[in-house]
């Protein structure tokens, strides 16, 4: 295992901001010394142990989650970090949400609820992303899906809390918990979505996001 | 054998060192006409731009009315982007192609929605003007589908309470098909009828736009139908139908009156029947009262 300097360590954790994702050009005759230091590190990922790779990916997910959880602070850095999209976080959150809802659903057919929530999350994220592009946004499709997926985190927490602790309390308390989660999710994601369209179309881009999270919140409530 | 072949003129193996290949003594200029034309002298193929020039200009003027600061994210296209879009193939798969149907601002959409709730005049048609959009119709239909599912389940939840409640999504695919089918198919039918039975020149986009915005009253009605009070449901249904048909009638009649007064009544009655049937399907199939257990 080669060790690499601290600033490269951070870049690897936070992901590079180059959205090209092309392989570094490696000229075998010139050797690895001719590559830039950053490109050398990409080659090292092939030789490092699997648990290091997994740890690094998990750390990347965690860092993005912390940026999403604290909305509206350091918005420029957030935008840069979330431009390097990944779909692991949204997948994990979507699965957790679907599992929580299917366990706590008061119906015989928990699998139906799981299916519906899973499909709604991905289809809804796709439709909202396409809507953003059609309105003239300058954010790519997968970046939108990534942002919407990560902003599911408050709703997942609400679903989990609902399942574990709140099954037998008043409806009113559940409404408050889910309402807070909905507002938090929407506030986080609207910050990103609004940056990508012209200010006059902010409402048009934000409305589908509200609808999407409202649908999921209603699932958690009922 | 070889000698006989040589007499016949066959150069054969060995006599000609090139084995029949091009004699390298010959000049290269003689073969210019045989060269494959690799694009240097090709005639220029120009793909026609997908939108007519007046629409392109209109779109750009709409964007420039927004008083954007220079340096903000602009909707106006640079010349390079216009050329790129004109010369690529398969324009239909790029989202850029459909951007001209979504060229509205939040203020425009809100204004159109308010006008679609006031049936007695044709302000909606004036507000739409030359810029019909698909954003309004599509999201109003989606909201309607969501509200139908929400209202139905809420209705059941209030009626039977927490212990006996079960999610009921049997009606979700039919409602999806019905709303999108009628929402985009009925204007198509209207457009075809108008085009082939009279001289009216109304475009599909404009009719879909008016039709879509007229569904806002149905959205409000469906939300109100979540309450388990029967009388309230029927009042909401009747009011919504009145507003819906009124909006459609007044906004389409300006165009209809111009060219086809007789056809107008046929169309109006057709639209009425369609909307009433739609509403009855929603009311009776989706939102019926459940007997409490």
């Amino acid at each position: 295992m080669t060790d690499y300097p601290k600033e490269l360590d951070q870049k690897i954790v936070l992901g590079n901001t180059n959205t090209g994702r092309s392989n570094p050009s490696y000229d075998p005759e010139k050797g690895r010394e001719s590559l830039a230091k950053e490109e050398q590190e990409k080659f090292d990922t092939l030789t490092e142990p699997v648990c290091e790779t997994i740890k690094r990916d998990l750390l990347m997910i965690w860092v993005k989650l912390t940026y999403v959880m604290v909305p509206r602070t350091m918005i420029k850095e957030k935008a840069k970090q979330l431009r390097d999209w990944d779909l692991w976080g949204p997948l994990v959150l979507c699965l957790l949400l679907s599992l929580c809802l299917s366990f706590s659903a008061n119906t015989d057919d928990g699998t139906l609820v799981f299916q519906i929530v899973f499909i709604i999350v991905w289809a809804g994220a796709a439709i909202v992303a396409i809507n953003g592009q059609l309105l003239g946004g300058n954010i790519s499709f997968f970046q939108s899906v990534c942002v919407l997926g990560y902003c599911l985190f408050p709703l997942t927490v609400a679903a989990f809390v609902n399942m574990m602790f709140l099954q037998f309390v008043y409806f009113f308390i559940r409404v408050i918990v889910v309402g807070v989660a909905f507002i938090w999710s929407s506030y986080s994601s609207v910050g990103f979505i609004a940056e990508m369209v012209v200010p006059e179309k902010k409402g048009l881009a934000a409305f589908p996001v509200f609808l999407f999270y409202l649908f999921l919140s209603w699932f958690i409530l009922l | 054998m070889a000698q006989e072949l040589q007499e016949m003129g066959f150069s054969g193996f060995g006599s000609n060192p090139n084995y029949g290949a091009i004699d390298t003594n010959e000049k290269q200029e003689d073969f210019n006409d045989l060269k494959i034309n690799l694009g240097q002298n090709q005639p220029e193929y120009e793909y026609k731009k997908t939108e007519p020039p007046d629409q392109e200009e209109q779109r750009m003027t709409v964007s420039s009315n927004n008083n954007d600061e220079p340096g903000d994210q602009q909707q106006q296209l640079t010349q390079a982007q216009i050329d790129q879009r004109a010369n690529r193939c398969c324009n239909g798969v790029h989202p850029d192609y459909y951007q001209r149907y979504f060229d509205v601002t939040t203020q425009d959409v809100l204004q159109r929605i308010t006008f679609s709730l006031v049936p007695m005049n044709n302000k909606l048609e004036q507000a739409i003007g030359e810029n019909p959009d698909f954003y309004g119709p599509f999201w109003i239909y989606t909201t309607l589908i969501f509200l139908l599912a929400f209202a139905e389940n809420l209705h059941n939840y209030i009626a039977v309470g927490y212990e006996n409640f079960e999610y009921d999504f049997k009606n979700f695919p039919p409602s999806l098909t019905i709303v999108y089918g009628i929402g985009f198919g009925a204007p198509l039918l209207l457009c075809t009828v108008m085009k082939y039975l009279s001289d009216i020149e109304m475009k599909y986009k404009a009719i879909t736009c008016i039709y879509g915005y007229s569904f806002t009253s149905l959205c409000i009605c469906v939300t109100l139908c979540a309450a388990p009070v029967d009388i309230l449901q029927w009042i909401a249904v009747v009011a919504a139908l009145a507003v819906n048909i009124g909006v459609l009638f007044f906004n389409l009649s300006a165009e209809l009156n111009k060219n086809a007064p007789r056809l107008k009544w046929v169309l109006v009655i057709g639209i009425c029947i369609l909307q009433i049937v739609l509403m009855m399907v929603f009311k009776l199939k989706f939102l019926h009262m459940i007997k409490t257990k």
Side-chain angles (χ1 to χ4, degrees), chain A residues 31-66:
Chain A
R32 300 186 66 184
E33 292 78 75
S34 69
L35 293 178
K37 255 196 174 163
E38 191 185 349
E39 291 174 335
Q40 266 187 346
E41 294 316 314
K42 284 192 198 162
F43 269 84
D44 279 338
T45 64
L46 283 177
T47 56
E48 68 181 6
V50 171
C51 68
E52 287 290 326
T53 316
I54 292 180
K55 262 198 285 181
R56 192 175 64 234
D57 284 337
L58 285 177
L59 195 56
M60 198 164 68
I61 295 177
W62 172 251
V63 165
K64 287 206 179 103
L65 271 180
T66 48

Side-chain angles (χ1 to χ4, degrees), chain A residues 88-136:
Chain A
W88 279 114
L91 180 68
V92 164
L93 288 172
C94 171
L95 284 175
L96 279 177
L97 181 68
S98 313
L99 278 174
C100 290
L101 285 177
S102 77
F103 281 140
S104 68
N106 45 9
T107 170
D108 294 332
D109 205 0
T111 55
L112 181 66
V113 176
F114 182 95
Q115 288 165 13
I116 288 178
V117 174
F118 194 86
I119 290 176
I120 293 281
V121 166
W122 290 106
I127 292 178
V128 174
I130 292 178
N131 180 63
Q133 280 201 322
L134 285 170
L135 286 173

Side-chain angles (χ1 to χ4, degrees), chain A residues 105-108 113 116 127 131 133-136 138 167 171 174 195-198 200-205 207-208 211 214-215 218-219 222, chain B residues 66-68 72-75 95 98-99 102-107 109 135 138-139 142-143 146 149-150 153-154 157 162 165-167 169 172:
Chain A
N106 45 9
T107 170
D108 294 332
V113 176
I116 288 178
I127 292 178
N131 180 63
Q133 280 201 322
L134 285 170
L135 286 173
N138 61 357
Q167 284 288 8
F171 190 64
R174 288 163 63 202
E195 274 178 16
M196 72 178 189
V197 290
V198 177
E200 286 80 17
K201 297 191 182 182
K202 220 161 58 160
L204 298 185
F207 171 71
L211 202 61
L214 191 66
F215 192 76
W218 163 61
F219 252 98
L222 281 185
Chain B
N66 292 339
N67 296 327
D68 288 337
D72 267 351
Q73 301 159 1
Q74 292 285 351
Q75 290 291 311
Y98 299 105
Q99 270 179 6
F102 285 76
D103 199 18
V104 276
T105 66
T106 316
Q107 281 305 315
V109 172
Y135 178 90
F138 177 72
W139 284 107
T142 312
T143 314
F146 162 64
F150 174 71
N153 280 299
L154 190 60
Y157 185 81
Y162 180 72
F165 171 67
E166 283 189 2
Y167 279 117
F169 291 110
F172 181 66

Side-chain angles (χ1 to χ4, degrees), chain A residues 4 27 30 38 50 67 73 83 87-88 102-103 122 131 141 147 151 158 161 163 185 189 192 212 215:
Chain A
Y4 34 83
D27 190 359
K30 292 208 186 128
E38 191 185 349
V50 171
Y67 280 119
T73 56
R83 266 181 218 284
L87 292 179
W88 279 114
S102 77
F103 281 140
W122 290 106
N131 180 63
F141 175 79
V147 168
C151 291
V161 165
M163 177 176 81
S185 287
S189 61
F192 290 99
F212 176 58
F215 192 76

Side-chain angles (χ1 to χ4, degrees), chain B residues 18-53:
Chain B
N18 287 338
Y19 300 107
I22 295 172
D23 195 338
T24 47
N25 286 334
E26 292 180 9
K27 290 190 188 135
Q28 282 304 310
E29 291 90 8
D30 290 350
F31 292 96
N32 273 347
D33 57 329
L34 293 179
K35 270 196 199 148
I36 299 171
N37 204 341
L38 288 176
Q40 289 128 359
N41 298 327
Q42 257 181 359
E44 290 193 355
Y45 292 99
E46 275 183 358
Y47 290 98
K48 287 223 173 80
K49 255 201 284 191
T50 50
E51 39 195 309

